[in-house]
Amino acid sequence: MKASSPFRFWPGAVAVAILVAVPFVASGYITALTLSLLMYVALAYGWNLISGYTGYVSFGQVAFFGVGGYTCAILAKAGMNWLVGSLIGGVIAGLLAVVLGLVMLRLKGAYFAIGMLGLAQLFAAVAGALKRVTNGSTGIFLPPSLSLVPVYLALLSLALTAVVGTAILHRSTFGLRLMAIREDEEAAESLGIHTTVYKIIAFSISAVVIALAGGVMTWYISFIDPQSAFPAALNLTMVIMAVFGGPGTVWGPLVGASTLGIIAELLWANYPGLYLVIYGVILLLIVLYIPQGVVPSLSKLLRRRGAAETVRKGRRGAVA
Amino acid sequence: MPEPLLVVRDVEKHFGGVHAIQGCSFEVGAKTITGLVGPNGCGKTTMFNLITGTFRPDSGAVIYAGRDVTGLRPHVMAQLGVARTYQLTRVFKSMSVLQNLLTVPFDQSSGERKQWAVEVLAAVGLAEEADATAGDLSFGDQKLLEFARVFMLHPKLVLLDEIFAGISPALQERQMRVIRDFRARLGVTFLVVDHTMRVIMNLCQEVLVMNHGQILAQGAPAEISRNDRVIEAYLGNRSAMKGVDHHRD
Ligand SMILES: Nc1ncnc2c1ncn2[C@@H]1O[C@H](COP(=O)(O)OP(=O)(O)OP(=O)(O)O)[C@@H](O)[C@H]1O
Ligand SMILES: [Mg+2]
């Protein structure tokens, strides 16, 4: 079962082909739903890198969503192409994360998590105060985007890059070193790993992914204000999705974002009043019964099955 | 005594009111296996932390391979070839045994790294467990894993903090064999902290005795076990010194 095996390659290729076809063949509703799932996928992978792999659980990565969003909005307003504006937003967020990381990544555990939450709120306050650039709480209105297709394809590319990048990271020495930092930072350092540098790189790439999503979504929504740029709920959503699927795994965020995204949509459509209650109960059950997330639990189950199967086959072989 | 690889000179360390290391000086000869013993709380682990840069000495100097390395950060010391284990084992629990090793070193291709990891695992007797999750290993095997991981750095100086504690004599023998073998084949220098006198006396050419953050005595194991001041320092701990002479090789 090597990665190069055609059996692992084909389902992925088919899935990608279907996803590319969606905006051209599916209804507007399905396209819009898939589009928001793709955004969740990208965000969950961005969060997974710094929090799932490196162990620095952040409740404020959404800060970079807003940085990407505002950069795109301001540049688009000035006449720049929205995609270029989003890419510049990604670069700015990445550089900003290097500077902020130098300070924030000295904090550990809950202090880092809450410090990031505070940072995101600070960003929102600053965005509200810088009226001349951001138009304050009135927000920036952009010309409505006439076609979903470019936005959809941009988010699809981002989500795919995040998935493939994580798959590569997972097998790389760089990835192993991030995991080592998560497991025991002092021991990692005693092995010669310059932990500060590794953490900052992970934090910065995470910021780039999340900012790119923010830029594209801002163009899609055609509006940004401090509340839509830095929604605390969105940060919670990316945490929950990655944790549900399995943080620090290649497929966890994909499973988490698509499953919870679809469940949320179905609940919201069918039980608008009870949506949040049911959603909360589901999350509670998950945390109680599969705290490691879906992907690790499933693969453990399959491995146990596989082992049992081998034993059974072995016995049969022995009898024959 | 051979050319020293490590020189500790007049090192002092306070923790608030606790004067943990009190003007400590000693040398560790290159390619030797040197023991560092002393009663609980006398400053052995603190000394390791000062050598590896986990703590910065209040004053004094640490010279390694002829270079003043006082206060260099732990990752720099590791890259210079100083590797250590921890008294309370620190393996990367949710990673596999092999992954624990493959996090280092830095100057090798992943192929070379893997080959070396397999060799090291075979040497300590963990080859069968390569794909096991580190956190699922027994206490003894986790100690072996941390011990094995040290060699991934291709270290020149290895500091071992009680790796023999609480594991079976058979495993202890295996660890001693690996230490002797790496010293003989690759010229690795070892500084070994342990309370298991049988092991220290058996393994080391030179033993440093520490008490109250100072070096009390230094010499060959046989001399040390006859030294009155050493026996006094261990008064409450006489059983530890018992049988030392019978276990020399
Ligand atoms: N981080 C620290 N903060 C405060 N005090 C410390 C710290 N580390 C060590 N000490 C104190 O320094 C002294 C030496 O401790 P150390 O752990 O070095 O002893 P040790 O020789 O390794 O003992 P043991 O044989 O029990 O492992 C002790 O009094 C200890 O309480
Ligand atoms: Mg100690």
Side-chain angles (χ1 to χ4, degrees), chain A residues 208-268:
Chain A
V208 171
V209 173
I210 290 168
L212 289 173
V216 175
M217 286 309 286
T218 300
W219 178 253
Y220 173 52
I221 298 164
S222 318
F223 171 72
I224 194 167
D225 71 355
Q227 268 174 12
S228 71
F230 305 98
L234 187 62
N235 204 86
L236 209 56
T237 308
M238 59 178 115
V239 177
I240 290 169
M241 286 175 164
V243 170
F244 170 84
T249 64
V250 175
W251 302 109
L254 181 66
V255 171
S258 30
T259 321
L260 291 185
I262 290 171
I263 290 178
E265 175 67 23
L266 291 178
L267 289 178
W268 184 78

Side-chain angles (χ1 to χ4, degrees), chain A residues 46-117:
Chain A
W47 184 87
N48 192 37
L49 183 59
I50 183 64
S51 303
Y53 276 98
T54 321
Y56 276 69
V57 174
S58 169
F59 282 127
Q61 287 310 90
V62 78
F64 300 109
F65 186 83
V67 169
Y70 267 111
T71 312
C72 175
I74 293 163
L75 293 177
K77 195 87 190 157
M80 192 179 276
N81 173 281
W82 63 274
L83 193 55
V84 179
S86 299
L87 291 172
I88 294 176
V91 173
I92 291 178
L95 295 175
L96 192 63
V98 171
V99 179
L100 291 173
L102 279 170
V103 182
M104 299 306 292
L105 291 165
R106 284 163 189 249
L107 303 174
K108 300 241 146 63
Y111 297 97
F112 175 76
I114 292 168
M116 284 304 301
L117 185 70

Side-chain angles (χ1 to χ4, degrees), chain B residues 67-86:
Chain B
R67 172 176 169 194
D68 188 342
V69 295
T70 319
L72 290 186
R73 297 276 310 281
H75 70 265
V76 179
M77 290 306 292
Q79 288 181 1
L80 290 175
V82 181
R84 73 172 299 177
T85 64
Y86 290 90

Side-chain angles (χ1 to χ4, degrees), chain A residues 170 173 176-177 179-196 198 303, chain B residues 54 73-75 78-79 82 84 86 90 92-95 99 102-106 110 113 149 153:
Chain A
H170 196 86
T173 310
L176 287 181
R177 289 180 185 153
M179 294 185 230
I181 291 172
R182 174 190 70 205
E183 298 294 300
D184 190 329
E185 194 165 341
E186 189 179 330
E189 199 160 355
S190 83
L191 291 170
I193 298 169
H194 195 331
T195 53
T196 310
Y198 281 79
R303 226 179 303 143
Chain B
T54 308
R73 297 276 310 281
H75 70 265
Q79 288 181 1
V82 181
R84 73 172 299 177
Y86 290 90
R90 305 181 86 146
F92 304 133
K93 287 220 166 81
S94 78
M95 295 162 68
Q99 283 179 326
L102 293 179
T103 48
V104 277
F106 294 82
S110 60
R113 206 180 281 135
R149 198 172 61 189
L153 277 172

